[in-house]
Amino acid sequence: MLRFPVKKIRKQFKLLLLLVLLTFAVWFTYLHINQGKSIKLHFNYGKNGERPIEGTDTSRKRDSRSSDKYRKREDASNSQEEENAEDEPNAGTLHDNDQAEIRKFIAQKYKKLPWKPEFKGQANLHVFEDWCGSSVAQLRKNLHFPLYPHTRTTVKKLAVAPKWKNYGLRIFGYILPYKDGDFQFAVSSDDNSEFWLSSDDSPLNARLLAYVGKLGSEWTAPGEFTKFRSQVSKSVQ
């Protein structure tokens, strides 16, 4: 007759408990990684959350033609960006894979929207909370950036008095100059920040004009625009 080994289980209780805890830790890590991948899947889905079908040969040929056209457009835009990069401060080091992925997503989804007079004189403010980091490059790696902020609001000035902890901010909108001429832009922040400006109403033509640091250790006081040379842009027509 078989007997349940109670004495052996009592002797090896700590070892069994450790084994159970390790199993739970591995399972929790697996769920956490899958959750992160599910958030990134938004970049790969088409309209209405449906994945593009690759079943027939005609659809594959159509996809290959569209991809060839898209590559040609990408090559043309990349060559134009390389010409503009000579005037930008360290622009080559800031165009990483994450930024290219964001640009591709904007190119696919960007649509020209009508003006709404009730938002005149305001800019959009998106807040990304509970985030540990101090550089813009680290903020781009946040799973919520740039499409899923914790808070969406507006501001009447391009300046924010922070009331959050462990946060990242994104301010964007349209700037209408009061007259024609040359303008300079400056930025100050604690810690890092970047100022991008487009020559028209398309975000695809945005260029980096000024920034505060890129390592995460640089910072400035509010309104301090002369600490780093990169804080002030060149003249923009």
Side-chain angles (χ1 to χ4, degrees), residues 181-198:
D182 293 331
F183 288 85
Q184 275 188 304
F185 299 90
V187 62
S188 66
S189 61
D190 184 5
D191 296 304
N192 292 176
S193 63
E194 294 178 0
F195 179 81
W196 293 71
L197 183 69
S198 175

Side-chain angles (χ1 to χ4, degrees), residues 94-119:
L94 295 170
H95 288 276
D96 52 3
N97 294 332
D98 296 333
Q99 189 68 12
E101 188 175 352
I102 294 173
R103 284 180 175 273
K104 288 180 182 179
F105 181 80
I106 294 176
Q108 295 172 357
K109 299 296 183 182
Y110 173 69
K111 293 181 181 179
K112 195 171 183 179
L113 300 176
W115 287 89
K116 293 186 178 181
E118 61 267 24
F119 292 108

Side-chain angles (χ1 to χ4, degrees), residues 17-209:
L17 182 61
L18 180 60
L19 183 62
V20 172
L21 291 176
L22 287 176
T23 304
F24 275 106
V26 171
W27 178 249
F28 179 81
T29 305
Y30 174 78
L31 292 179
H32 185 71
I33 293 174
N34 279 350
Q35 184 179 5
K37 289 182 179 179
S38 64
I39 295 177
K40 286 188 175 181
L41 284 177
H42 290 285
F43 290 96
N44 300 326
Y45 278 71
K47 294 182 180 180
N48 300 324
E50 295 179 357
R51 204 175 188 112
I53 300 174
E54 300 178 354
T56 61
D57 295 335
T58 56
S59 64
R60 290 175 183 173
K61 292 179 181 178
R62 200 178 300 116
D63 292 340
S64 62
R65 291 173 187 171
S66 61
S67 62
D68 292 337
K69 293 180 181 178
Y70 183 73
R71 287 197 194 100
K72 291 180 181 178
R73 277 192 246 116
E74 276 286 314
D75 295 338
S77 62
N78 288 337
S79 61
Q80 185 177 1
E81 287 179 1
E82 289 176 358
E83 293 177 358
N84 296 333
E86 296 177 359
D87 300 331
E88 297 174 5
N90 295 329
T93 59
L94 295 170
H95 288 276
D96 52 3
N97 294 332
D98 296 333
Q99 189 68 12
E101 188 175 352
I102 294 173
R103 284 180 175 273
K104 288 180 182 179
F105 181 80
I106 294 176
Q108 295 172 357
K109 299 296 183 182
Y110 173 69
K111 293 181 181 179
K112 195 171 183 179
L113 300 176
W115 287 89
K116 293 186 178 181
E118 61 267 24
F119 292 108
K120 186 177 180 180
Q122 302 179 58
N124 299 285
L125 172 62
H126 288 184
V127 184
F128 301 89
E129 301 178 17
D130 298 328
W131 166 73
C132 296
S134 53
S135 68
V136 179
Q138 291 171 339
L139 178 59
R140 288 194 181 101
K141 295 179 180 179
N142 188 339
L143 294 177
H144 296 281
F145 185 87
L147 301 178
Y148 306 101
H150 296 84
T151 304
R152 299 172 186 261
T153 183
T154 58
V155 290
K156 294 185 178 180
K157 296 189 296 183
L158 297 181
V160 180
K163 59 181 179 179
W164 308 274
K165 292 182 178 180
N166 301 326
Y167 65 93
L169 301 179
R170 179 171 178 251
I171 303 175
F172 61 97
Y174 296 97
I175 297 178
L176 300 178
Y178 55 90
K179 66 175 183 179
D180 294 336
D182 293 331
F183 288 85
Q184 275 188 304
F185 299 90
V187 62
S188 66
S189 61
D190 184 5
D191 296 304
N192 292 176
S193 63
E194 294 178 0
F195 179 81
W196 293 71
L197 183 69
S198 175
S199 57
D200 53 24
D201 59 355
S202 173
L204 300 176
N205 298 322
R207 296 171 53 195
L208 178 64
L209 298 186

